[in-house]
PDB file of all heavy atoms in Angstrom:
ATOM      1  N   ILE A 180       5.242   6.445   4.442  1.00 96.00           N
ATOM      2  CA  ILE A 180       4.198   6.214   5.446  1.00 96.00           C
ATOM      3  C   ILE A 180       4.536   4.932   6.198  1.00 96.00           C
ATOM      4  O   ILE A 180       5.294   4.100   5.706  1.00 96.00           O
ATOM      5  CB  ILE A 180       2.788   6.089   4.824  1.00 96.00           C
ATOM      6  CG1 ILE A 180       2.728   4.876   3.877  1.00 96.00           C
ATOM      7  CG2 ILE A 180       2.373   7.368   4.134  1.00 96.00           C
ATOM      8  CD1 ILE A 180       1.327   4.450   3.509  1.00 96.00           C
ATOM      9  N   THR A 181       3.938   4.784   7.373  1.00 97.00           N
ATOM     10  CA  THR A 181       4.101   3.529   8.103  1.00 97.00           C
ATOM     11  C   THR A 181       3.086   2.508   7.601  1.00 97.00           C
ATOM     12  O   THR A 181       3.431   1.366   7.329  1.00 97.00           O
ATOM     13  CB  THR A 181       3.936   3.754   9.620  1.00 97.00           C
ATOM     14  OG1 THR A 181       4.943   4.685  10.033  1.00 97.00           O
ATOM     15  CG2 THR A 181       4.092   2.463  10.396  1.00 97.00           C
ATOM     16  N   GLU A 182       1.830   2.959   7.454  1.00 97.00           N
ATOM     17  CA  GLU A 182       0.789   2.031   6.982  1.00 97.00           C
ATOM     18  C   GLU A 182      -0.417   2.796   6.463  1.00 97.00           C
ATOM     19  O   GLU A 182      -0.770   3.859   6.974  1.00 97.00           O
ATOM     20  CB  GLU A 182       0.343   1.125   8.132  1.00 97.00           C
ATOM     21  CG  GLU A 182      -0.708   0.112   7.757  1.00 97.00           C
ATOM     22  CD  GLU A 182      -1.124  -0.775   8.921  1.00 97.00           C
ATOM     23  OE1 GLU A 182      -0.443  -0.800   9.960  1.00 97.00           O
ATOM     24  OE2 GLU A 182      -2.163  -1.436   8.781  1.00 97.00           O
ATOM     25  N   LEU A 183      -1.050   2.234   5.463  1.00 98.00           N
ATOM     26  CA  LEU A 183      -2.338   2.688   4.953  1.00 98.00           C
ATOM     27  C   LEU A 183      -3.122   1.419   4.647  1.00 98.00           C
ATOM     28  O   LEU A 183      -2.680   0.596   3.852  1.00 98.00           O
ATOM     29  CB  LEU A 183      -2.179   3.526   3.688  1.00 98.00           C
ATOM     30  CG  LEU A 183      -3.470   3.912   2.959  1.00 98.00           C
ATOM     31  CD1 LEU A 183      -4.352   4.784   3.844  1.00 98.00           C
ATOM     32  CD2 LEU A 183      -3.151   4.626   1.649  1.00 98.00           C
ATOM     33  N   THR A 184      -4.259   1.240   5.310  1.00 98.00           N
ATOM     34  CA  THR A 184      -5.055   0.020   5.149  1.00 98.00           C
ATOM     35  C   THR A 184      -6.507   0.371   4.840  1.00 98.00           C
ATOM     36  O   THR A 184      -7.105   1.204   5.526  1.00 98.00           O
ATOM     37  CB  THR A 184      -4.994  -0.844   6.424  1.00 98.00           C
ATOM     38  OG1 THR A 184      -3.639  -1.193   6.679  1.00 98.00           O
ATOM     39  CG2 THR A 184      -5.820  -2.108   6.272  1.00 98.00           C
ATOM     40  N   PHE A 185      -7.044  -0.282   3.821  1.00 98.00           N
ATOM     41  CA  PHE A 185      -8.457  -0.161   3.452  1.00 98.00           C
ATOM     42  C   PHE A 185      -9.087  -1.533   3.621  1.00 98.00           C
ATOM     43  O   PHE A 185      -8.572  -2.517   3.096  1.00 98.00           O
ATOM     44  CB  PHE A 185      -8.622   0.255   1.992  1.00 98.00           C
ATOM     45  CG  PHE A 185      -8.038   1.599   1.662  1.00 98.00           C
ATOM     46  CD1 PHE A 185      -6.769   1.698   1.117  1.00 98.00           C
ATOM     47  CD2 PHE A 185      -8.763   2.759   1.890  1.00 98.00           C
ATOM     48  CE1 PHE A 185      -6.220   2.934   0.795  1.00 98.00           C
ATOM     49  CE2 PHE A 185      -8.230   3.999   1.575  1.00 98.00           C
ATOM     50  CZ  PHE A 185      -6.956   4.096   1.023  1.00 98.00           C
ATOM     51  N   VAL A 186     -10.225  -1.605   4.331  1.00 98.00           N
ATOM     52  CA  VAL A 186     -10.945  -2.865   4.506  1.00 98.00           C
ATOM     53  C   VAL A 186     -12.347  -2.705   3.921  1.00 98.00           C
ATOM     54  O   VAL A 186     -13.086  -1.787   4.295  1.00 98.00           O
ATOM     55  CB  VAL A 186     -11.041  -3.270   5.998  1.00 98.00           C
ATOM     56  CG1 VAL A 186     -11.805  -4.576   6.141  1.00 98.00           C
ATOM     57  CG2 VAL A 186      -9.654  -3.371   6.624  1.00 98.00           C
ATOM     58  N   TYR A 187     -12.682  -3.618   3.011  1.00 98.00           N
ATOM     59  CA  TYR A 187     -14.000  -3.638   2.384  1.00 98.00           C
ATOM     60  C   TYR A 187     -14.720  -4.906   2.809  1.00 98.00           C
ATOM     61  O   TYR A 187     -14.129  -5.985   2.838  1.00 98.00           O
ATOM     62  CB  TYR A 187     -13.883  -3.658   0.855  1.00 98.00           C
ATOM     63  CG  TYR A 187     -13.424  -2.355   0.260  1.00 98.00           C
ATOM     64  CD1 TYR A 187     -12.073  -2.040   0.178  1.00 98.00           C
ATOM     65  CD2 TYR A 187     -14.348  -1.450  -0.242  1.00 98.00           C
ATOM     66  CE1 TYR A 187     -11.650  -0.844  -0.377  1.00 98.00           C
ATOM     67  CE2 TYR A 187     -13.934  -0.253  -0.799  1.00 98.00           C
ATOM     68  CZ  TYR A 187     -12.589   0.050  -0.861  1.00 98.00           C
ATOM     69  OH  TYR A 187     -12.186   1.229  -1.411  1.00 98.00           O
ATOM     70  N   THR A 188     -15.995  -4.781   3.131  1.00 98.00           N
ATOM     71  CA  THR A 188     -16.848  -5.929   3.402  1.00 98.00           C
ATOM     72  C   THR A 188     -18.034  -5.834   2.452  1.00 98.00           C
ATOM     73  O   THR A 188     -18.697  -4.792   2.396  1.00 98.00           O
ATOM     74  CB  THR A 188     -17.321  -5.945   4.871  1.00 98.00           C
ATOM     75  OG1 THR A 188     -16.160  -6.027   5.712  1.00 98.00           O
ATOM     76  CG2 THR A 188     -18.216  -7.136   5.141  1.00 98.00           C
TER      77      THR A 188
END
Side-chain angles (χ1 to χ4, degrees):
I180 62 165
T181 300
E182 181 180 346
L183 173 63
T184 300
F185 298 96
V186 180
Y187 288 84
T188 299

